[in-house]
Amino acid sequence: MRYMLMHKLDESVPANFDPSPEFMTRMGAFMQEVGRAGVLLAAEGLLPSSASSARITVADGKRTVTDGPFTETKELIAGFALIEVRSREEAVEWASRFADVFEATGTEVEIDVRRVSEGPADPA
């Protein structure tokens, strides 16, 4: 089963997008661990929404394109990891360990753990 771990950060806190050397060391160690475990398929951090971002909204047959930054949204997706694991519980365990990296450096984070659709046979 594939799961997407998406972490959200508060863009109004400048340090969230300018990580400390301690944070980068901890994140590097975590990424090596996930890689060695053979579950990591992809992972990337995202720049703040002020950096070449756009949001496309379709409502009532009308399409709207809004350029960043997205000041009306306090917490935005700041990065993701795509993992392949045996169960939801294993995905939550990896996400919890990912959250530990943020917690250890005093950074508030919210992580969504979402199963990736693998076709029509997926459970509802």
Side-chain angles (χ1 to χ4, degrees):
M1 289 179 261
R2 291 183 179 180
Y3 280 85
M4 171 99 34
L5 313 180
M6 296 170 284
H7 71 279
K8 300 175 192 174
L9 296 174
D10 183 345
E11 280 202 327
S12 69
V13 177
N16 285 346
F17 289 88
D18 186 19
S20 70
E22 177 190 3
F23 178 88
M24 293 305 293
T25 298
R26 288 177 181 273
M27 184 58 72
F30 174 76
M31 286 297 162
Q32 285 181 351
E33 181 182 358
V34 179
R36 280 193 306 269
V39 300
L40 184 64
L41 300 176
E44 296 289 342
L46 302 176
L47 295 173
S49 67
S50 60
S52 301
S53 295
R55 178 178 288 154
I56 301 168
T57 306
V58 178
D60 298 323
K62 182 180 174 193
R63 181 181 307 243
T64 304
V65 178
T66 306
D67 293 332
F70 306 126
T71 55
E72 71 280 2
T73 306
K74 186 175 177 182
E75 292 186 351
L76 292 173
I77 296 172
F80 71 92
L82 183 62
I83 60 175
E84 189 157 4
V85 294
R86 292 178 295 276
S87 66
R88 176 189 171 278
E89 292 74 23
E90 186 179 357
V92 169
E93 174 61 29
W94 281 111
S96 181
R97 293 169 73 184
F98 183 57
D100 290 345
V101 173
F102 292 89
E103 184 177 26
T105 57
T107 305
E108 293 185 10
V109 68
E110 180 178 306
I111 301 171
D112 288 350
V113 178
R114 303 276 309 273
R115 184 155 175 211
V116 175
S117 174
E118 296 179 31
D122 282 341

